[in-house]
């Protein structure tokens, strides 16, 4: 590890990013496919997984995206460069290089904290290994979230076969619930897509310093549960097709079934 990792804010004059795409994981369950290629660059229906998100973000008017990397992280900026110029206009790309700076991935909350000084006050979060091509990153939903008091808004999906217990509940007012194990109310699976407010990664919710200069490794779920207990996390159920591309079999099925966009597959992620 570097004795003095590069700052998380190499260019404070750069405009803040409106979305953070998570692309740092090793993808152990995807081996051997991920031995030589980071999972978010694996092709699905003719283009890398990450490009599906970039295209949808561009279509929604997002113009600056930050991507965190670790495993084979140098391949991602090498493949995508500093801009994505697709059919819906250019998107400027920047990178948070966790592997270069710390020789490891920082998990979801650690990675977000590392990137935080470069993010807008409200920003989209999406895992680079989920395929949901019909998701729109709706700017009206973002604007509504920005006007309210919630710290996070999560998209949930019906529980897939390999994650039957789900992650979170949902009440009639749209609040996400951290249900006790014996609570009979239904749960849904966190789709690893969310709108987040920077304040979620500040005290009292999070004790990682902005920029995460020491490279603390931390999951997102404890922060979300803390905020849920205070009624500060909202959610909605997404039914438009979603796949956690977590195994070679799911990846192969997506590429074999090009006629059906986004079949629901298993998630084994417990909210990061």
């Amino acid at each position: 590890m570097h004795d003095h990792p590069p700052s998380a804010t190499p260019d404070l004059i750069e405009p803040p990013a409106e979305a953070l795409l998570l692309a740092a994981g090793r993808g152990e369950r995807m081996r051997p496919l991920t031995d030589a290629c980071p999972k978010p660059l694996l092709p699905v229906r003719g283009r890398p997984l990450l490009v599906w998100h970039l295209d949808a973000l561009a279509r929604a008017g997002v113009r600056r995206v930050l991507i965190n990397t670790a495993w084979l992280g140098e391949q991602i900026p090498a493949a995508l460069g500093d801009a994505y110029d697709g059919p819906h206009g250019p998107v400027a790309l920047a990178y948070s290089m966790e592997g270069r700076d710390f020789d490891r991935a920082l998990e979801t909350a650690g990675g977000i904290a590392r990137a935080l000084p470069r993010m807008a006050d409200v920003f989209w979060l999406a895992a680079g290994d989920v395929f949901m091509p019909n998701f729109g990153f709706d700017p009206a939903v973002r604007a509504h979230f920005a006007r309210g008091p919630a710290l996070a808004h999560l998209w949930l999906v019906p529980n897939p076969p390999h994650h039957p217990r789900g992650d979170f509940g949902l009440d009639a007012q749209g609040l996400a619930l951290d249900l006790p194990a014996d609570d009979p109310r239904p749960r849904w699976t966190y789709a690893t897509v969310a709108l987040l407010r920077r304040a979620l990664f500040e005290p009292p919710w999070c004790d990682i310093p902005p920029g995460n200069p020491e490279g603390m490794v931390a999951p997102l779920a404890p922060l979300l549960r803390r905020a849920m207990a205070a009624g500060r996390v909202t959610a909605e159920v997404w039914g438009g097709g979603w796949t956690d591309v977590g195994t070679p079999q799911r990846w192969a099925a997506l590429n074999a079934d090009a006629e059906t966009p986004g079949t629901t597959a298993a998630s084994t992620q417990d909210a990061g």
Side-chain angles (χ1 to χ4, degrees):
M1 188 176 76
H2 293 262
D3 291 334
H4 301 285
S7 167
T9 58
D11 292 301
L12 286 175
I13 60 171
E14 72 179 16
E18 305 156 78
L20 175 61
L21 299 182
L22 303 173
R26 170 65 178 89
E28 287 285 351
R29 292 173 297 138
M30 288 292 287
R31 298 184 67 184
L33 294 172
T34 53
D35 286 345
C37 178
K39 183 162 56 167
L41 289 184
L42 289 173
V44 170
R45 300 177 186 174
R47 53 182 176 168
L49 266 170
L50 272 177
V51 170
W52 288 91
H53 282 330
L54 291 173
D55 191 56
L57 287 163
R59 189 167 57 244
V62 171
R63 292 292 170 248
R64 292 197 65 87
V65 172
L66 187 65
I67 301 171
N68 77 334
T69 74
W71 173 252
L72 301 175
E74 70 285 349
Q75 291 191 25
I76 294 176
L80 299 178
D82 59 7
Y84 169 70
D85 194 7
H88 304 291
V91 178
L93 304 179
Y95 300 91
S96 178
M97 306 291 285
E98 297 171 16
R100 178 198 66 191
D101 296 347
F102 301 107
D103 296 327
R104 63 182 181 272
L106 305 181
E107 292 197 30
T108 304
I112 295 171
R114 178 68 175 162
L116 198 65
R118 303 167 69 184
M119 302 307 300
D121 182 61
V122 169
F123 59 93
W124 291 99
L125 179 79
D129 59 354
V130 297
F131 181 68
M132 45 195 308
N134 299 322
F135 190 80
F137 297 97
D138 189 342
V141 175
R142 181 193 180 282
H144 178 76
F145 172 76
R147 290 192 298 268
L151 294 166
H153 183 76
L154 311 180
W155 274 265
L156 309 175
V157 293
N159 298 330
H162 292 90
H163 194 54
R165 294 196 58 175
D167 297 313
F168 302 122
L170 183 63
D171 75 7
Q173 288 73 46
L175 290 177
L177 304 174
D178 178 24
L179 298 174
D182 59 353
D183 194 300
R185 286 175 289 179
R187 290 176 176 81
W188 285 265
T189 292
Y190 172 44
T192 57
V193 172
L195 276 164
L196 300 176
R197 200 180 299 273
R198 285 171 56 110
L200 178 62
F201 301 92
E202 301 169 354
W205 319 104
C206 179
D207 57 5
I208 303 174
N212 196 359
E214 300 301 319
M216 292 178 61
V217 176
L220 180 59
L223 277 66
L224 291 175
R225 292 191 170 104
R226 205 169 297 148
M228 285 177 194
R232 300 287 301 276
V233 179
T234 55
E236 63 185 272
V237 176
W238 168 254
W242 171 85
T243 303
D244 166 21
V245 188
T247 66
Q249 293 76 21
R250 290 179 221 155
W251 175 75
L254 278 178
N255 284 312
D257 186 18
E259 298 302 315
T260 306
T263 54
T264 300
S267 169
T268 58
Q269 303 175 66
D270 185 10

